[in-house]
Amino acid sequence: MPAISIDTFFACSLMVILVVSAMASTSKLLYPYLNNGLDENIRERYREISKYMLLNVGEPENWGQNSQVTPETFGLAKAGAFNAYELDVDKVSRLNSENLYALSYADIFLALKMSDVSFRIEIKPIFEVSINLTASFNETDSKIYQFEILTEKHGSRVQANLKCYIIAENYFNITDTVQSSGRTSLNITLSNNVNGPALLIVLAKSIYEQGITSFSAYAFAHNSAEPHPKGTFLKLSPVNYNLTASFLHSEIVLQDAYALTFNYNSSLTQTGNNSQSATYNIPRFLDSSPIIIVVTGQNSTDFFIEWTAYPQIPFRIGADFSNSQTLSNVFSYTYTVSIDSALYQCNIWLGGPNQ
């Protein structure tokens, strides 16, 4: 398909998303052992349950902000929201297992109070950002890294504006906004005086709808060993615009911390610390963008960079229906939801026991 056709298709798709954001698409997952007959009563019941999860605040209504509270009844809606399908940033973040205060599947199952229903919930950006390191070149006193950045939806290119942040030890830099047709080459030059590993963060905002922003990050070696996997040194848990950075190793000394959105950025100041963790306040940016949180430090003599997003997406929690032989009538529902003015895709799968 020509690029212009794909761009036009995507633009029209975004317009439809905004007009029918309160509507869900539904599909039935048909496995070899399932009955092919469509039970309308079950389908409609599950649809109402999926809507209930997103339109109700739960009890207590502020269970997301209170990290020590497990909800008595489950709901992801933001208390006092003006629009349908407006979710609470902390309720969403506490569904991610990376969060120190995450709910378990059992917690949600009990709070949902529907013993005959299994579920899976996924929330993610509406389109994907991929970062690939394609080449590197040594200069006299620096090194150039060449990256390819893709913005795509179901394999089709998405036109977007890109904002890039580069972070290393005692180093922070921001690129100018770049307009991408879906595939862009980006050169990053780092001085030999800079020590890594380094982290490239890309925030991509759709040129058709400013509320749709996606992101990705890529860690790479620079005057350093290869970076460790994300989550090796710190467990980052944002709740109620406070960040808890829990130490996963001894002898950790934290250095810099940042909060980054498409249009704004800020250094973070510690508000507390002990031998096991440190805490920071997270600014409330007026930006239709997820907040990317980055914390750097030393583990003994090794420099490290950890990062997460707020809301803490993407994630998937719940039952794995693909291997189940005890469930029938498994349906999936897709919604467009908003979290702090940014739009995301929410997929909910629901299934019940064989009749």
Side-chain angles (χ1 to χ4, degrees):
M1 182 182 294
I4 185 66
S5 300
I6 293 173
D7 293 338
T8 303
F9 170 77
F10 188 74
C12 295
S13 299
L14 292 180
M15 293 175 64
V16 171
I17 286 173
L18 296 176
V19 172
V20 298
S21 61
M23 300 178 64
S25 62
T26 309
S27 64
K28 184 175 182 181
L29 308 181
L30 298 178
Y31 301 110
Y33 50 81
L34 295 185
N35 187 335
N36 288 330
L38 183 62
D39 190 319
E40 286 294 328
N41 291 332
I42 294 177
R43 182 175 67 87
E44 288 306 315
R45 180 192 177 215
Y46 287 171
R47 184 198 302 276
E48 291 304 311
I49 293 173
S50 69
K51 291 167 63 177
Y52 174 88
M53 291 178 169
L54 303 179
L55 295 175
N56 286 272
V57 298
E59 185 181 342
E61 65 177 18
N62 66 339
W63 66 262
Q65 288 84 358
N66 191 333
S67 59
Q68 304 304 315
V69 168
T70 300
E72 297 178 20
T73 58
F74 183 72
L76 294 175
K78 181 179 180 180
F82 292 103
N83 300 308
Y85 301 98
E86 185 176 350
L87 306 188
D88 185 282
V89 63
D90 296 309
K91 294 172 184 176
V92 168
S93 295
R94 290 185 63 192
L95 299 188
N96 191 321
S97 61
E98 294 181 4
N99 195 297
L100 180 65
Y101 310 107
L103 300 183
S104 67
Y105 177 76
D107 291 332
I108 304 171
F109 184 84
L110 291 174
L112 193 58
K113 302 184 187 302
M114 297 180 187
S115 59
D116 62 335
V117 177
S118 297
F119 62 87
R120 183 168 63 190
I121 304 171
E122 176 186 56
I123 299 180
K124 61 183 181 179
I126 288 178
F127 66 91
E128 298 80 39
V129 178
S130 300
I131 306 172
N132 301 301
L133 177 60
T134 57
S136 61
F137 309 94
N138 289 311
E139 299 290 328
T140 302
D141 56 358
S142 64
K143 190 168 185 177
I144 300 173
Y145 298 90
Q146 186 175 81
F147 292 91
E148 179 187 63
I149 301 172
L150 303 176
T151 50
E152 297 178 319
K153 177 71 172 179
H154 299 316
S156 297
R157 296 184 187 180
V158 174
Q159 287 192 350
N161 291 319
L162 308 180
K163 177 65 69 68
C164 302
Y165 296 88
I166 306 95
I167 299 170
E169 186 172 13
N170 300 317
Y171 181 87
F172 178 88
N173 194 28
I174 311 170
T175 67
D176 294 331
T177 301
V178 176
Q179 184 168 328
S180 171
S181 62
R183 173 179 290 176
T184 299
S185 292
L186 176 71
N187 288 342
I188 301 296
T189 301
L190 292 178
S191 166
N192 290 338
N193 295 325
V194 173
N195 292 320
L199 183 70
L200 169 63
I201 294 171
V202 177
L203 287 143
K205 187 177 287 289
S206 166
I207 66 171
Y208 300 113
E209 169 48 54
Q210 292 299 296
I212 298 179
T213 304
S214 187
F215 62 90
S216 188
Y218 189 97
F220 59 100
H222 176 74
N223 290 337
S224 67
E226 289 297 319
H228 291 275
K230 181 173 178 280
T232 296
F233 299 101
L234 299 176
K235 189 181 188 74
L236 300 180
S237 306
V239 170
N240 198 21
Y241 285 88
N242 286 279
L243 173 69
T244 299
S246 304
F247 305 157
L248 301 180
H249 293 273
S250 60
E251 300 183 8
I252 282 183
V253 178
L254 299 183
Q255 295 181 347
D256 299 313
Y258 307 95
L260 317 170
T261 71
F262 188 88
N263 290 305
Y264 305 103
N265 66 86
S266 176
S267 295
L268 303 182
T269 302
Q270 281 191 25
T271 57
N273 64 79
N274 55 44
S275 61
Q276 297 180 325
S277 65
T279 55
Y280 302 82
N281 285 332
I282 303 172
R284 296 176 182 263
F285 297 111
L286 296 178
D287 197 1
S288 55
S289 165
I291 301 174
I292 307 302
I293 299 168
V294 180
V295 181
T296 71
Q298 293 273 352
N299 176 42
S300 184
T301 58
D302 295 329
F303 174 75
F304 66 82
I305 304 180
E306 295 280 12
W307 71 278
T308 193
Y310 188 45
Q312 209 159 7
I313 61 168
F315 70 84
R316 180 181 289 185
I317 183 173
D320 181 3
F321 294 119
S322 61
N323 296 318
S324 175
Q325 298 186 11
T326 61
L327 298 176
S328 64
N329 297 310
V330 180
F331 293 89
S332 67
Y333 303 84
T334 298
Y335 296 86
T336 299
V337 298
S338 66
I339 306 172
D340 285 352
S341 302
L343 300 176
Y344 302 93
Q345 180 176 320
C346 176
N347 300 317
I348 298 178
W349 293 262
L350 294 165
N354 278 318
Q355 301 297 320

